[in-house]
Amino acid sequence: MRPPLERQEAERLVETYSDLVLRLSYSYLNQTQDAQDICQTVFLKLLERAPDFVSSDHEKAWIIRTTANTCKDLLKSHWRRTTVAMEAASHIPAPELEEGSLSAAVNLLPPKYRAVIYLYYYEGYAAKEIAELLGQSPALVSTHLARARAKLRQRLEGSCYDG
């Protein structure tokens, strides 16, 4: 068994990747609390396993892959499929995105499309890199990107999309 990570190294990893993990988790789950739970789980896995990374790219890829897989596990879990939706707390107002905004349109996409849109546009990964990170074929990632763009274009036509 590997020794646990040094405190300084653990803090560096959290500072470096917590925003990425939260945003990617949110793109899958569309719920802040679930994204925070995933973030905590990913960093616990990192601390427990203390993998040896050959480069910063390998480190980041491990974080992204672990985040994506943890989100997928949550989405297909029995608990997730059998719990009641948040309508029970509907009396508590939540901030809403401006209707017709790009962020609102992206949040309406299915999780598989939100994830690739986030990694492509916000993190700057190429389709081939996203495929490696998510364990998918490059063709599937390209298809998801094309379909996501088409859905966004359709939703945004007449509001803020001109082309």
Side-chain angles (χ1 to χ4, degrees):
M1 186 170 171
R2 293 187 183 280
L5 291 176
E6 296 283 330
R7 181 180 177 97
Q8 262 187 321
E9 178 63 5
E11 287 175 357
R12 181 193 69 80
L13 290 167
V14 169
E15 287 176 22
T16 304
Y17 296 111
S18 60
D19 190 52
L20 166 65
V21 173
L22 277 171
R23 289 177 187 271
L24 181 58
S25 299
Y26 187 82
S27 74
Y28 269 97
L29 306 170
N30 215 17
Q31 292 185 15
T32 303
Q33 291 82 5
D34 287 344
Q36 291 169 338
D37 289 345
I38 294 295
C39 188
Q40 187 175 32
T41 301
V42 167
F43 287 110
L44 284 173
K45 287 179 181 181
L46 181 62
L47 291 172
E48 288 171 353
R49 296 181 185 153
D52 286 330
F53 298 115
V54 294
S55 68
S56 62
D57 287 340
H58 180 229
E59 179 180 88
K60 189 173 184 179
W62 188 95
I63 297 279
I64 290 172
R65 185 77 181 253
T66 302
T67 301
N69 288 341
T70 305
C71 288
K72 289 175 188 176
D73 290 345
L74 178 63
L75 287 171
K76 65 184 177 186
S77 72
H78 177 73
W79 177 86
R80 178 82 174 199
R81 288 180 282 135
T82 58
T83 55
V84 178
M86 291 297 292
E87 285 86 23
S90 63
H91 64 283
I92 301 170
E96 296 203 14
L97 296 172
E98 183 180 320
E99 188 176 328
S101 73
L102 180 59
S103 297
V106 169
N107 282 337
L108 293 173
L109 293 173
K112 63 185 177 185
Y113 297 152
R114 284 193 308 259
V116 296
I117 288 290
Y118 173 75
L119 290 172
Y120 187 83
Y121 288 104
Y122 293 95
E123 293 298 324
Y125 283 100
K128 184 177 178 182
E129 295 170 316
I130 295 169
E132 291 172 13
L133 294 169
L134 300 180
Q136 299 172 343
S137 72
L140 180 62
V141 169
S142 294
T143 298
H144 285 176
L145 280 168
R147 288 179 181 166
R149 288 181 191 123
K151 287 180 180 289
L152 288 171
R153 188 175 301 115
Q154 183 180 20
R155 282 202 175 103
L156 296 173
E157 269 182 356
S159 57
C160 66
Y161 182 75
D162 292 326

